[in-house]
Amino acid sequence: MAIFNYLWLTIMFCIVPAGVLWLCRKYSWLDKIGPVMILYAIGLVIANIPMPAEIAKLQGIIPTIMIPLAIPMMLFGCTFKTSEVSLQLRVVTSGVISVCIAVVGGYLLFGQGITQGEEIGGMLAGKCTGGTLNAAAIKEGLRISDSTYILLTTYDIIICFFYFVFLLGGGIRLFRWLYGEKVKRTISAEDAEAIKQEMAAVKANPYKGLWSKAGFAQMGKVLGLTLVVVVVAVGMAYLIGWIFDADLANFMNEKKGGWFMAPFILMLTTFGIALSFWKPVKKLDKSYDLGMYLIYIFSLAIASMADLSNLKIMENLSMIAFLTFAIFVSLFIHAIICRLFRVDADSMVISSVAFINSPPFVPMIANAMRNRAALVTGISAGLIGYAVGNYLGILMAQLLKLI
């Protein structure tokens, strides 16, 4: 029975995104909502109806598999510019300042009466800088209780759902308008042609032809190359751990303070970008869309963890307010500072997503903005967030104790 449950649940996670994509292509009003938001909504439903116990293991396994495969696949299909150091410095500086202001303000307004409020503030600082991976590590470092962590994670999934609803439902257009930008900016003729081709690819069915002989051959090449990148990235990450004399027994265990994920994601990104310049890889025109499909599966699995029956909303209003304040206020302060730093709206939005939700969520926003070039900006910002998030979280907790 258990094997049967694993089988049909796996099929469900893999097939539901295909059904959603078909519906979005058939009904324009669904396409305006976007497949990611629809999958989040379906995931919330799945999380709150009776499901076999085996789903819990799949919910842990699917994100672990999907993300390392999706990142290089999507990077293979991107065209990159080499001079973005100044932009990265500005968005990261803005992001860190925004998070610090938002967390301190949220703590003063809502966090002082919460049990372990200072520690929660520290975890939120890390979470809004590098995502859930940093939150998990800081949770152990600050000894936040398991029950509090589970509640915060569930609230975070729900609040981030509304965060994405805001961005995809009009926030991106709003920030472009506030920044005084048009969707189409002044660009070179070469870039204009590339964007034209990308827009045509977005409107076309990106998965058409995948089941042909040529499609299968390309899928095999993309998957094979991706697996090679993953294996090499794991080896390089372990080498970095060995060089820095890490406790390799706990190196991959985020709950025990392991920091494997940061160098691992960095290596995945580095090799993905490097290979994107290789002509044989450029010919794999379905790699981006294959990676995006894995992101759809990931989105469904993440949302399916939000069990609404254990929320105890009325008992934790201050905690919910603290988390909501940290996420949305950091977004708007980030928007203000980025505007002062002359950062464009798309880079501001995608770096905010990278900080608050981590790099795995960047591709869906790049896709929604119809701006694949922003993928590098977002992932790079998120990687720096991984690197500084734990330090910022621990320091923030100590700072809040002095207030």
Side-chain angles (χ1 to χ4, degrees):
M1 186 64 180
I3 295 177
F4 174 75
N5 286 336
Y6 280 124
L7 179 61
W8 79 260
L9 287 169
T10 301
I11 293 173
M12 176 192 72
F13 280 119
C14 293
I15 295 299
V16 168
V20 169
L21 288 172
W22 180 81
L23 289 172
C24 286
R25 298 194 64 79
K26 187 173 179 64
Y27 301 103
S28 59
W29 64 274
L30 284 176
D31 189 47
K32 291 178 181 178
I33 298 173
V36 171
M37 288 295 95
I38 296 172
L39 288 168
Y40 255 65
I42 294 172
L44 288 173
V45 172
I46 292 172
N48 294 280
I49 61 176
M51 297 293 289
E54 288 81 6
I55 194 173
K57 288 188 177 180
L58 289 177
Q59 288 166 333
I61 292 171
I62 287 174
T64 303
I65 295 175
M66 293 298 106
I67 297 312
L69 294 178
I71 288 178
M73 281 185 185
M74 299 187 74
L75 291 172
F76 292 159
C78 292
T79 302
F80 299 106
K81 297 178 180 179
T82 56
S83 56
E84 290 197 346
V85 175
S86 174
L87 175 62
Q88 292 301 325
L89 179 61
R90 284 176 283 158
V91 297
V92 169
T93 301
S94 172
V96 171
I97 294 172
S98 303
V99 167
C100 290
I101 294 173
V103 170
V104 171
Y107 174 76
L108 292 174
L109 290 173
F110 309 108
Q112 291 179 306
I114 302 174
T115 302
Q116 291 192 300
E118 296 86 359
E119 288 79 5
I120 289 173
M123 189 169 73
L124 290 180
K127 177 261 180 301
C128 290
T129 308
T132 53
L133 292 176
N134 289 85
I138 293 170
K139 178 256 184 189
E140 293 297 327
L142 297 177
R143 298 182 180 180
I144 297 173
S145 68
D146 291 340
S147 59
T148 299
Y149 178 73
I150 292 170
L151 277 174
L152 273 171
T153 301
T154 304
Y155 294 142
D156 179 57
I157 291 172
I158 297 169
I159 293 168
C160 283
F161 170 78
F162 291 105
Y163 169 83
F164 282 123
V165 166
F166 167 70
L167 289 180
L168 300 178
I172 293 171
R173 293 191 297 273
L174 173 65
F175 286 121
R176 284 170 171 170
W177 176 75
L178 290 173
Y179 275 42
E181 297 176 0
K182 296 180 180 179
V183 176
K184 293 184 179 179
R185 301 179 178 85
T186 302
I187 53 176
S188 66
E190 182 181 352
D191 287 342
E193 180 60 28
I195 291 175
K196 182 179 178 181
Q197 292 177 1
E198 287 185 357
M199 292 300 291
V202 168
K203 293 179 180 179
N205 182 356
Y207 303 101
K208 185 178 181 180
L210 277 180
W211 303 112
S212 65
K213 184 177 180 180
F216 272 114
Q218 182 169 159
M219 282 194 289
K221 291 177 182 178
V222 171
L223 181 59
L225 185 60
T226 300
L227 290 175
V228 170
V229 169
V230 170
V231 170
V232 174
V234 168
M236 292 297 293
Y238 264 107
L239 178 61
I240 292 171
W242 178 76
I243 291 174
F244 286 94
D245 196 27
D247 181 359
L248 296 181
N250 293 327
F251 186 46
M252 293 184 68
N253 191 335
E254 293 286 342
K255 292 185 177 181
K256 294 186 177 180
W259 46 279
F260 166 82
M261 190 56 67
F264 176 53
I265 295 291
L266 177 62
M267 291 298 104
L268 285 177
T269 304
T270 301
F271 292 128
I273 292 174
L275 287 171
S276 72
F277 293 97
W278 190 28
K279 288 185 178 180
V281 174
K282 288 184 177 181
K283 294 179 180 178
L284 302 175
D285 60 333
K286 297 295 184 183
S287 62
Y288 181 93
D289 300 302
L290 288 171
M292 193 65 214
Y293 193 83
L294 299 185
I295 295 295
Y296 292 143
I297 297 173
F298 167 81
S299 301
L300 179 62
I302 287 292
S304 70
M305 298 179 189
D307 184 357
L308 302 181
S309 64
N310 294 322
L311 290 185
K312 301 178 181 177
I313 292 176
M314 298 308 296
E315 299 177 20
N316 296 289
L317 286 177
S318 294
M319 186 186 297
I320 297 171
F322 193 1
L323 177 58
T324 304
F325 188 92
I327 290 174
F328 281 97
V329 173
S330 66
L331 166 64
F332 289 110
I333 296 176
H334 184 49
I336 293 170
I337 298 176
C338 278
R339 182 61 177 147
L340 295 174
F341 284 175
R342 300 183 181 278
V343 174
D344 64 280
D346 283 7
S347 295
M348 181 280 293
V349 169
I350 208 163
S351 60
S352 173
V353 170
F355 293 139
I356 292 173
N357 295 282
S358 77
F361 288 86
V362 163
M364 66 181 73
I365 297 298
N367 193 61
M369 293 191 300
R370 305 294 192 263
N371 184 1
R372 295 184 182 184
L375 187 66
V376 179
T377 302
I379 289 180
S380 299
L383 288 171
I384 298 173
Y386 276 143
V388 305
N390 289 346
Y391 298 104
L392 181 63
I394 299 297
L395 288 172
M396 179 60 69
Q398 303 306 313
L399 172 63
L400 295 179
K401 290 179 180 179
L402 299 176
I403 295 179

